[in-house]
Amino acid sequence: MDLFLSSPFGGHESPYLRPFMDAYAAMAEGLEAESLWYFNGREREFYSNLLIFAKQMPIPVEVMWEPLPVLGNTDAIRKNNAVALAHSRAFHELRKRNEEAYVFVHESDVLVPVGGIQRLKEDLDAHPGLGAISAAVPDPRGGDPPQVGTMAWRIRPKHDGAYTVPGDGPVVSYYLPELGEGVEIVDAVPFGALMTRLSAFQEVPLATTMFPGMGVDQEWSVNSLYQNHMPVAIDWSVRCGHIRDWYGKYDDLRLHTTTAAPREVGIA
């Protein structure tokens, strides 16, 4: 197998697990791929639900459960470490099977359009110098009401060595202007809908402590470029959904997009 799908779960996804799984099944239809769902929460019922959904998928799905009670979302550092550990464990398992395979890193609240994975894999084949390529994932920004834009970031260092000196990290801002289509190199992308190669993740270790203003995905993006000369990019035409608690109700953020980026879902 040369394509794996890797998705970490924490157990908090129960309120929107059904629409996520419906989108997952549609996304995976027709793929020649295998999927690994890694769950590090503590709830046996949630694990049982994952097993039920796994049997309904059009591709083979393995569910790994490793309860880690010391982790959680109590603060930014713990959340960052939990995410880093989940991805590290999943990638360790996948490397045993094929170190040269492609892997689609997929977070448990992102809805990928039909054909999105195929498009991102084609992008990576067409641009072999990239470390990874991301779909366009919407995310809320500041404001009242919040603006909704795309998770792609500019990273501006405050000084030389800002990427290696904890406590004085870079300045992070959203990537503007946002485009409607095309592949564009950016400074950092999320792990929400990311196509990469297992070998790239092996070369760029995941950080376990977060610089101020940066998550594990942003830091990996920066290290991919500055340590391994592998920039990351975004395909603006692969428009994903993103389920978020929007004023007390879990909604797809595509319903609330406020930037100039296109609202429709599809592959350009």
Side-chain angles (χ1 to χ4, degrees):
M1 183 59 59
D2 71 346
L3 174 60
F4 297 118
L5 280 58
S6 176
S7 304
F9 291 86
H12 53 269
E13 300 90 350
S14 293
Y16 50 85
L17 195 58
R18 167 61 70 176
F20 170 81
M21 289 298 177
D22 290 344
Y24 197 101
M27 168 192 79
E29 187 70 44
L31 284 179
E32 294 184 6
E34 295 178 2
S35 189
L36 175 64
W37 296 349
Y38 178 83
F39 172 46
N40 61 11
R42 302 173 63 182
E43 300 82 7
R44 180 172 294 277
E45 181 179 358
F46 187 86
Y47 171 64
S48 298
N49 288 335
L50 289 181
L51 292 176
I52 293 171
F53 279 115
K55 294 178 181 178
Q56 301 171 6
M57 292 299 141
I59 61 174
V61 177
E62 178 183 350
V63 183
M64 289 182 59
W65 184 27
E66 293 182 341
L68 297 173
V70 298
L71 298 176
N73 296 332
T74 55
D75 58 57
I77 297 296
R78 286 192 178 187
K79 179 179 179 180
N80 196 73
N81 291 350
V83 171
L85 182 57
H87 286 301
S88 295
R89 286 291 295 118
F91 276 76
H92 176 72
E93 291 299 319
L94 293 176
R95 280 197 299 267
K96 295 178 183 178
R97 306 172 195 189
N98 181 356
E99 290 188 353
E100 300 303 317
Y102 295 85
V103 61
F104 180 69
V105 186
H106 185 208
E107 292 183 350
S108 58
D109 55 8
V110 174
L111 312 178
V112 180
V114 173
I117 289 181
Q118 294 90 328
R119 176 63 176 267
L120 294 175
K121 188 173 183 292
E122 292 173 0
D123 289 338
L124 207 56
D125 285 336
H127 305 282
L130 295 176
I133 186 160
S134 173
V137 179
D139 196 53
R141 300 175 179 174
D144 188 13
Q147 301 294 297
V148 177
T150 303
M151 297 179 78
W153 299 283
R154 294 185 186 275
I155 311 284
R156 299 190 301 274
K158 293 180 178 178
H159 57 78
D160 291 340
Y163 303 119
T164 58
V165 181
D168 191 13
V171 178
V172 180
S173 60
Y174 281 97
Y175 200 90
L176 296 172
E178 294 172 293
L179 305 180
E181 60 182 17
V183 172
E184 183 177 11
I185 291 177
V186 296
D187 290 348
V189 290
F191 284 171
L194 187 77
M195 182 67 68
T196 185
R197 299 178 182 86
L198 282 169
S199 56
F201 257 78
Q202 192 167 3
E203 293 179 31
V204 186
L206 291 173
T208 55
T209 56
M210 183 174 63
F211 288 118
M214 290 182 73
V216 62
D217 42 13
Q218 295 169 308
E219 192 165 341
W220 185 90
S221 297
V222 171
N223 289 337
S224 180
L225 173 60
Y226 286 93
Q227 294 184 12
N228 292 79
H229 308 289
M230 298 185 300
V232 298
I234 183 170
D235 189 327
W236 292 96
S237 65
V238 185
R239 304 295 304 175
C240 293
H242 196 182
I243 301 174
R244 277 286 181 262
D245 186 349
W246 193 262
Y247 297 115
K249 177 183 177 183
Y250 284 101
D251 277 343
D252 180 347
L253 289 185
R254 287 174 300 198
L255 303 174
H256 305 281
T257 299
T258 55
T259 68
R263 301 186 184 200
E264 66 272 12
V265 181
I267 307 301

